[in-house]
Amino acid sequence: MLIVHRSNPKSNYVKLPNESVFDERLGRIARSVLAEIVARPPGWQTNAARLWETANRHRGARAESKRAYRLAFAELEEYGYLIRERTRIPKGQPNGGDFVTIMAVYDTPQK
C-alpha cells in the first residue's frame, strides 16, 4: 500500500501538466530535468554539462552521469519539449559573428 501526503504550498512551487509528468516516452531523468528547468526563474541558464556539474558537486559518485544528462536533453528535444536554434550573434555585439545555440523549453510537447 502506498500512502501519499501532499502539501498545499501557497508560493514557491511549480505546476506541470500531468501530460508531461506521466509522458512514458521520456525517461525519469528527462522528466526530472524538465521539471527543474520549468521551475527555475525567467532568465536562468543551463545545459546538460552544468546540470551534471551541479549534481556531481552535491552528490559526488551517486550523481547521474554526464551521458545521462545529455541523453535527457536529447529525449526532451526528440519529443518536442526542447527546441534548439543555432544562430549567429550580430556583428557589433560582444562576440559578434560567433554562433550560439538558443534552447527553448516547454512544459508540454510542441510537436
Side-chain angles (χ1 to χ4, degrees):
M1 174 185 339
L2 175 65
I3 300 171
V4 178
H5 299 272
R6 290 182 177 86
S7 63
N8 190 15
K10 303 290 187 229
S11 64
N12 201 24
Y13 67 96
V14 66
K15 287 174 64 174
L16 278 176
N18 282 347
E19 170 188 12
S20 303
V21 173
F22 299 115
D23 189 341
E24 291 295 333
R25 298 173 304 168
L26 298 175
R28 302 224 183 267
I29 295 174
R31 285 185 255 173
S32 174
V33 166
L34 177 64
E36 179 169 355
I37 292 172
V38 170
R40 296 294 183 164
W44 183 74
Q45 298 292 312
T46 198
N47 57 34
R50 285 189 190 132
L51 288 179
W52 174 81
E53 288 167 2
T54 300
N56 192 49
R57 184 171 47 255
H58 292 283
R59 298 179 56 228
R62 296 176 308 174
E64 295 80 3
S65 68
K66 283 183 190 179
R67 183 174 185 267
Y69 280 99
R70 286 193 304 268
L71 289 172
F73 272 73
E75 285 179 27
L76 292 172
E77 186 172 22
E78 179 179 354
Y79 296 112
Y81 292 92
L82 169 71
I83 297 174
R84 297 180 209 239
E85 179 185 343
R86 190 157 165 83
T87 188
R88 187 174 284 222
I89 300 170
K91 294 200 185 283
Q93 292 187 7
N95 300 319
D98 290 351
F99 283 95
V100 64
T101 300
I102 299 170
M103 294 188 291
V105 176
Y106 300 86
D107 64 354
T108 56
Q110 300 301 297
K111 53 178 175 177

